[in-house]
Structures are given as structure tokens and as C-alpha cells.
Amino acid sequence: MNTVKYEVKIMLLICILCAGIFINLALIADPVSTTALAMGGILIVAIIVPYIILRKFKPNGDKYILMFIDVFITVSTGILYVINSSLAQKQLTWFCVGLVMYLIITLALPDLKTFAKYKRIYLIGTLIFMVMSLIIGKEINGAKNWVYIGGFSFQPAEFGKLFLILYLSSVLVTYKKKDKFIDDIKGLMKPILVVGYSIILMFLQHDLGMALMFFIVSLTILYLATSNGKYVLICLVGLVFGGTIGYFSLGYVRQRFEVVGPNVWKYAASSGYQIVQGFYTMSTGGLFGTGLGNGYPSLVPEASTDFIYTIIAEQFGMIFAVGLMILYFLLFYRGIRSALYAKDKFSQLAAIGFSTMIVAQVLIIVGGVFAVIPLTGITLPMVSYGGTSMLTILFALGILQKVSEEGNR
């Protein structure tokens, strides 16, 4: 089948999904919501126009990355409109801003390999953004990971993770295995210390989700740059050792672990309340959902951020929710595919790092929702409400789009 025709068919299906969601939201309102119709129209334009631009000016890149983005933002704005229409409007605004950045990265940025030399800038950015919340941040729900400047608020660690991935990619691009293992370790000491610095600061800010995500991403980049399984084993031992210390010395860590697995029901009226409410909500939706706008998202704490996946399962059904997970893994596959075709090591490591970052966030938040791992406040990429998260994810996906374009020239 002709590639362009196949892509156009998929884009048409995404537009139908978008139109169906927002027409439904408009009709269930009394009177009919013109706001929902307008949002649907704006979103359809935001879906079609970037595809046309990329197809015209950058025809060699992976267009499926953009299509996954379109599906996630359509679901996000639709669900957020049910939870709080003003949040949905803000989410759409942030998406449009991030989409412009995504296009600029793809269309105007020079070859990524030229950015490998800026390791000092990436290091400075990592050091500053990781510690910023601890110095001038505001504590919310037990975590000190937000900074308020004027009328704006953002999570510095969201930007810090981008700098960390770029730093590790730029440093490890020149890695050469030493004859002696101890010499090899000495050569990797600087990036190891930077990763340790970042993870420790996340612990101090009570942001376990970011700490775990940094560990997964850093370990992935380290292994692919060195091809040395010993480092994986050492890092896993370090994770167990550090986690054990954190469990016995930090009360909030123990509290998170006490509501994992069956124990969640024991604390259903206290620390496990949020997770249990999420269970009830998902069970209400069953396989096919209650229908958009027919559920009770107000019964779930932090429904627009941490627990938006439970609302998706309630409104659209568990089959749809599982399908959404599959799309995230297909996006991960497209990112890794772009890395495999990359013509330089820096682009390859950056693409792998950003792809791993996205899928790690998905696994961490969904694992927390199902009480498989301790619950964290990390966002579901492009679906949970959040301007900072939306911009950083679209930046990462812009890099993946750029890598796919350069690799297919």
C-alpha cells in the first residue's frame, strides 16, 4: 500500500475519534456546548496542519510519532474536559505551544551530532534544575518539587531530566573501554556522580517517581554506551542498597511501600484511599466504559494528574485503556527504531534515552495506579494535565522526529 495513502487513512481515523469525542461532549451539555465544539475544531486543525508541514518539508521522517501524539492529546483533552473544562482548555493551549516547538526542532534545528559538544551546558542545566526545587520550591502534598515565579509554576526536574539525558549522551559518546575494569570505572565516575546527585535530590524532594525514572534511563544509556553487563549488576545492587537505606531512614518512603499489593485494602481509609478509589472507578467502567461524561471522576483524588488513567478506564473502558498502553509501547518502538537508523552515536543515545524516559514514566505511573509499585506523582505522558510535562515530552519527541528524519535521508 502507498505509504502516504496509508498515513492519510490513519489521520482520518484520528480526526474521526477527535470529532466523535468533542461532539459527544457538546451534546451531553445543556445547552449544547459551543466551547467543546470549538476545542474539537482547534484540535483537528492542530492534528492535520503539522502532518501536512512535515510531509511537505521533511518527508523522510517517521510520521507515526506525530500520529501517536495526536491520539494521546485527543484522549487527554477529552477526559480533562469531563473532569474540568478549564483544565482541558489550558492543556490544549500548552499542546499548541509544544507543537510549535516540536516543528521548530524538526524543521530548523541543525544536525543533532553538532550538539554533542555542549556537554558543559547540559551539565550546568542538570545541576541547576535538579536542585532548584529544594532551594526555592514550594511543598505540595508532601513533595517539594514545584517552583512558583510570579503567576507561573513549573517543575524544574522536568527540565532537568532533559539536560541529564543530553549530558549522558554527550559524555558517553566518546566512551572507550579500558583494559582494566577499575580504570573503566574511573573514566565513568563523573557521569555516575551526576546521576547520583540527581537521584539523591529527588529523594530529598520526596519525588520517588523522578528518582526511579532517572535510574532506569541512566542505566539504559550506560549499558548501551558500554555494552557491559557488570554495570547493570552494580547499579541494581546500588538500587537495592539505596532503597533499603531510604526505607528505614525516610518515613514517607515506608508509607509509599506499605500500600503496595494486597496491603492497599488495609489502608483503604488512609494512605491507600486514593488507590482504592481508583480501583472502584476502573471497575465501574468495566470492559467498555460508562460512556464519556457518565462517570464519577470527582470521587478520585488528583484525577486530572496522577490518576487520569483510572478515569480513562472508567469512561472509555478497560479495553480502551489497555489499547492506550499498547500505543505507548508502539511509540517506544518507533523511538528505538529511529535510534537504530541514527548515523551518529550522540543522536542514537539521545533517542534511546528519550524513548526510555517516556515508557518509564508510563510504567511507573500505571504501576502505581494498580498498586504494583509504590505510588508516585509522575505524569502519564501527554495525557495527564501539566504544562511543564507537555513541553518536555514534546521536546523529547521532537528530538526523536529529528533523529528519524536524519537517519532516513
Side-chain angles (χ1 to χ4, degrees):
M1 181 183 289
N2 182 279
T3 302
V4 177
K5 288 184 178 179
Y6 187 65
E7 290 174 358
V8 169
K9 287 182 178 180
I10 296 177
M11 293 297 293
L12 179 60
L13 290 174
I14 296 172
C15 289
I16 292 172
L17 172 66
C18 181
I21 287 175
F22 283 93
I23 289 174
N24 180 69
L25 289 172
L27 293 178
I28 62 177
D30 187 19
V32 173
S33 174
T34 56
T35 302
L37 293 175
M39 286 184 62
I42 293 170
L43 192 51
I44 288 174
V45 172
I47 289 171
I48 295 174
V49 172
Y51 172 77
I52 294 173
I53 293 173
L54 289 181
R55 174 49 64 186
K56 179 176 177 60
F57 296 102
K58 296 291 182 179
N60 296 324
D62 189 344
K63 304 303 179 293
Y64 294 105
I65 293 174
L66 181 61
M67 294 177 190
F68 288 127
I69 293 172
D70 293 335
V71 173
F72 294 135
I73 191 61
T74 298
V75 174
S76 174
T77 50
I79 286 293
L80 286 173
Y81 192 92
V82 172
I83 298 171
N84 186 325
S85 60
S86 65
L87 291 183
Q89 294 174 49
K90 292 178 182 178
Q91 184 84 332
L92 183 56
T93 301
W94 283 115
F95 171 69
C96 291
V97 173
L99 197 58
V100 171
M101 177 181 63
Y102 175 92
L103 291 174
I104 290 173
I105 291 171
T106 306
L107 300 174
L109 213 64
D111 285 353
L112 282 182
K113 63 183 178 183
T114 62
F115 290 89
K117 59 187 177 183
Y118 299 118
K119 57 175 70 74
R120 286 188 178 181
I121 294 177
Y122 305 142
L123 175 59
I124 293 171
T126 302
L127 296 178
I128 292 174
F129 280 109
M130 293 303 182
V131 76
M132 187 181 293
S133 290
L134 206 59
I135 298 174
I136 59 173
K138 181 179 180 180
E139 185 172 324
I140 299 176
N141 296 328
K144 194 175 183 181
N145 52 9
W146 284 90
V147 168
Y148 290 78
I149 299 177
F152 296 94
S153 62
F154 66 98
Q155 288 182 284
E158 288 284 347
F159 296 110
K161 68 185 181 184
L162 301 181
F163 280 103
L164 177 62
I165 292 171
L166 292 172
Y167 170 71
L168 292 176
S169 301
S170 63
V171 169
L172 295 175
V173 73
T174 56
Y175 168 82
K176 290 183 180 180
K177 187 177 180 179
K178 306 293 191 303
D179 293 332
K180 294 182 178 180
F181 182 68
I182 189 65
D183 293 332
D184 216 28
I185 288 288
K186 288 179 180 179
L188 293 170
M189 189 54 65
K190 189 173 181 180
I192 289 172
L193 289 174
V194 172
V195 172
Y197 164 87
S198 303
I199 292 176
I200 290 171
L201 284 175
M202 291 306 104
F203 264 94
L204 295 177
Q205 295 170 31
H206 294 192
D207 196 341
L208 295 182
M210 279 291 185
L212 181 57
M213 193 265 289
F214 289 166
F215 175 82
I216 294 172
V217 172
S218 301
L219 181 59
T220 302
I221 295 176
L222 177 64
Y223 175 71
L224 291 171
T226 63
S227 300
N228 193 332
K230 292 180 181 178
Y231 294 130
V232 176
L233 181 60
I234 291 171
C235 290
L236 290 176
V237 171
L239 176 65
V240 173
F241 180 71
T244 302
I245 292 176
Y247 179 84
F248 287 105
S249 61
L250 301 172
Y252 80 93
V253 174
R254 289 195 300 276
Q255 187 180 46
R256 295 292 179 89
F257 272 93
E258 74 182 6
V259 290
V260 172
N263 283 340
V264 68
W265 299 102
K266 180 180 178 181
Y267 300 96
S270 54
S271 56
Y273 176 78
Q274 187 179 21
I275 298 175
V276 170
Q277 287 299 107
F279 286 165
Y280 288 143
T281 298
M282 288 188 286
S283 64
T284 301
L287 290 178
F288 303 105
T290 59
L292 200 58
N294 293 329
Y296 301 95
S298 60
L299 298 180
V300 181
E302 308 297 336
S304 63
T305 52
D306 299 11
F307 271 65
I308 197 167
Y309 189 78
T310 65
I311 311 303
I312 292 171
E314 177 198 43
Q315 309 262 308
F316 289 110
M318 187 53 69
I319 292 177
F320 186 95
V322 171
L324 198 68
M325 288 289 291
I326 293 173
L327 290 184
Y328 275 116
F329 284 102
L330 288 175
L331 175 60
F332 174 69
Y333 160 73
R334 303 307 297 193
I336 297 299
R337 183 177 180 274
S338 298
L340 292 175
Y341 284 97
K343 296 178 180 179
D344 66 282
K345 193 172 181 180
F346 173 73
S347 298
Q348 187 177 62
L349 291 176
I352 289 170
F354 287 129
S355 299
T356 305
M357 176 191 81
I358 294 170
V359 78
Q361 285 192 212
V362 174
L363 290 173
I364 290 169
I365 187 61
V366 175
V369 166
F370 284 98
V372 176
I373 62 174
L375 180 65
T376 65
I378 208 165
T379 57
L380 188 62
M382 290 172 289
V383 175
S384 295
Y385 173 72
T388 311
S389 176
M390 180 66 72
L391 292 179
T392 54
I393 293 295
L394 285 174
F395 175 90
L397 290 171
I399 296 295
L400 293 181
Q401 185 70 50
K402 181 72 176 178
V403 171
S404 74
E405 174 64 33
E406 293 177 354
N408 290 315
R409 284 177 186 172

